[in-house]
């Protein structure tokens, strides 16, 4: 008999209500300051990261091998026989490849691992879709096939006030950051098909950026599509709600919708003020 667990890394920004569900396990990334290392979303919050950015921009690193092994042992102890593992893009993090080694070597489980080529709430929505299917008693093969399809039908865009932190983390070039800063532009960042960051556009302010992200969502969604929506925000809950209202006002309504604070691991690279939109077709 199959008993299926969903394993995510904390960069997926899985909504709290799903983290509380039985059968979902999260691997915390590490947030490293010069004097101490914290576990992402466990003993440090995004707000704490933002507050300290003027003093120090920390480094992020993969979940430790110890935490991966401990989590797999817990999954086995809880009686699970199969694992659907969902990771943020391997083009942005080494977690997928590191975790794959552990899963391939662990004969306690039948595992299927997915490199979503996405980041943050976009990857989280894929995990939500997987958990929903498991709760509908779909088979492991059915869930895996659906997750594969969701990975191919996902999008994320996020508008940020500055590229400073992406540059500091080596995620984007110094030239792009300098140009954006001089022109007072709010860049809109997305993931390429290969799963790396690219600048989709540069908006003149965050309000214009939100309207542009509406346009990207409209272009992505076709009549008759069923989809999940995720809104991410960087310590700006009102801005996140406003983005969701813009989508609703233009007829975009998901089967499920989530508005979530961006986690510390992404917040390190984007800073406060981010507004993001993710859509995953189901």
């Amino acid at each position: 008999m199959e008993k299926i667990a969903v394993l995510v890394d904390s960069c997926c920004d899985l909504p709290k209500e799903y983290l509380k569900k039985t059968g979902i396990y999260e691997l915390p990334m590490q947030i490293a300051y010069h004097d101490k290392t914290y576990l992402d979303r466990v003993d440090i919050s995004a707000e704490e990261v933002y507050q300290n950015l003027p003093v120090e921009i920390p480094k992020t690193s993969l979940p430790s091998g110890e935490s991966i092994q401990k989590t797999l042992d817990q999954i086995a102890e809880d009686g699970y026989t199969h694992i659907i593992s969902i990771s943020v893009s391997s083009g942005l993090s080494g977690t997928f490849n590191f975790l794959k080694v552990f899963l391939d070597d662990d004969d306690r489980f039948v595992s299927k691992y997915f490199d979503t080529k996405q980041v943050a709430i976009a990857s989280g929505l894929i995990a939500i879709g997987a958990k929903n299917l498991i709760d509908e008693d779909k088979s492991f093969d059915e869930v895996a096939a659906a997750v594969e399809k969701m990975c191919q039908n996902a999008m994320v865009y996020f508008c940020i006030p500055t590229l400073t932190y992406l540059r500091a983390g080596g995620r984007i070039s110094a030239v792009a950051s300098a140009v954006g800063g001089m022109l007072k532009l709010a860049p809109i960042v997305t993931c390429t098909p290969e799963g790396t960051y690219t600048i989709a556009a540069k908006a003149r302010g965050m309000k214009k950026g939100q309207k542009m992200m509406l346009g990207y969502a409209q272009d992505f969604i076709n009549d008759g599509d069923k989809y999940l929506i995720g809104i991410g925000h960087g310590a700006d809950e009102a801005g996140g709600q406003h983005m969701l209202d813009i989508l609703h006002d233009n007829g975009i309504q998901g089967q499920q919708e989530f508005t979530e604070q961006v986690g510390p691991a992404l917040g390190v690279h984007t800073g406060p003020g981010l507004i993001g939109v993710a859509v995953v077709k189901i």
Side-chain angles (χ1 to χ4, degrees):
M1 183 177 176
E2 298 177 349
K3 188 175 181 183
I4 310 168
V6 175
L7 180 61
V8 299
D9 64 69
S10 62
C11 279
C12 292
D13 284 349
L14 197 64
K16 295 180 185 68
E17 64 192 85
Y18 269 76
L19 283 175
K20 294 176 183 176
K21 287 180 177 284
T22 302
I24 287 190
Y25 299 82
E26 183 181 58
L27 293 169
M29 304 290 283
Q30 300 181 81
I31 313 292
Y33 289 89
H34 73 280
D35 59 346
K36 188 173 180 180
T37 297
Y38 298 86
L39 295 179
D40 181 34
R41 307 217 306 170
V42 175
D43 50 20
I44 192 168
S45 69
E47 288 87 351
E48 289 171 314
V49 169
Y50 296 150
Q51 288 167 9
N52 202 51
L53 282 176
V55 179
E56 182 181 358
I57 300 175
K59 305 292 185 185
T60 58
S61 60
L62 311 182
S64 68
E66 180 183 359
S67 71
I68 293 174
Q69 191 58 60
K70 183 178 179 180
T71 301
L72 293 178
D73 290 344
Q74 186 64 57
I75 293 172
E77 186 178 321
D78 291 343
Y80 290 92
T81 58
H82 293 63
I83 294 176
I84 295 287
S85 175
I86 293 169
S87 303
V88 295
S89 175
S90 63
L92 299 170
S93 167
T95 305
F96 170 78
N97 289 315
F98 190 39
L99 181 55
K100 180 175 178 288
V101 173
F102 282 81
L103 293 172
D104 282 342
D105 285 347
D106 199 324
D107 59 9
R108 294 175 294 180
F109 310 104
V110 176
S111 301
K112 186 80 174 179
Y113 30 75
F114 295 90
D115 177 357
T116 63
K117 306 294 185 184
Q118 300 291 334
V119 70
I121 189 64
S123 299
L125 291 178
I126 293 169
I128 287 168
K131 178 58 175 170
N132 290 346
L133 292 169
I134 292 166
D135 289 348
E136 293 169 10
D137 292 326
K138 300 296 185 183
S139 71
F140 180 74
D141 287 344
E142 287 174 318
V143 176
V147 171
E148 185 74 48
K149 189 174 180 182
M150 283 187 275
C151 289
Q152 295 167 2
N153 288 279
M155 59 144 259
V156 64
Y157 289 87
F158 50 94
C159 189
I160 51 180
T162 174
L163 284 171
T164 299
Y165 303 108
L166 279 175
R167 181 188 67 186
R171 262 53 178 192
I172 212 152
S173 76
V175 173
S177 175
V179 170
M182 284 188 296
L183 299 177
K184 304 296 184 185
L185 298 176
I188 299 175
V189 181
T190 188
C191 290
T192 67
E194 295 74 37
T196 58
Y197 285 144
T198 188
I199 298 176
K202 293 173 184 173
R204 292 202 174 275
M206 292 295 291
K207 288 185 178 180
K208 179 66 173 176
Q210 289 185 317
K211 290 180 181 178
M212 293 175 74
M213 289 192 293
L214 165 66
Y216 292 130
Q218 289 172 320
D219 291 343
F220 182 73
I221 297 167
N222 300 309
D223 289 342
D225 283 344
K226 293 182 179 180
Y227 50 88
L228 307 175
I229 290 177
I231 305 295
H233 66 86
D236 186 3
E237 190 171 349
Q241 183 59 52
H242 180 61
M243 185 71 242
L244 189 59
D245 291 342
I246 290 172
L247 295 177
H248 288 170
D249 290 345
N250 288 273
I252 296 177
Q253 186 105 28
Q255 299 282 310
Q256 289 175 277
E257 299 177 337
F258 305 89
T259 301
E260 289 292 316
Q261 165 73 277
V262 167
L266 181 60
V268 165
H269 300 297
T270 56
L274 169 150
I275 301 294
V277 177
V279 179
V280 172
K281 296 178 184 178
I282 56 175

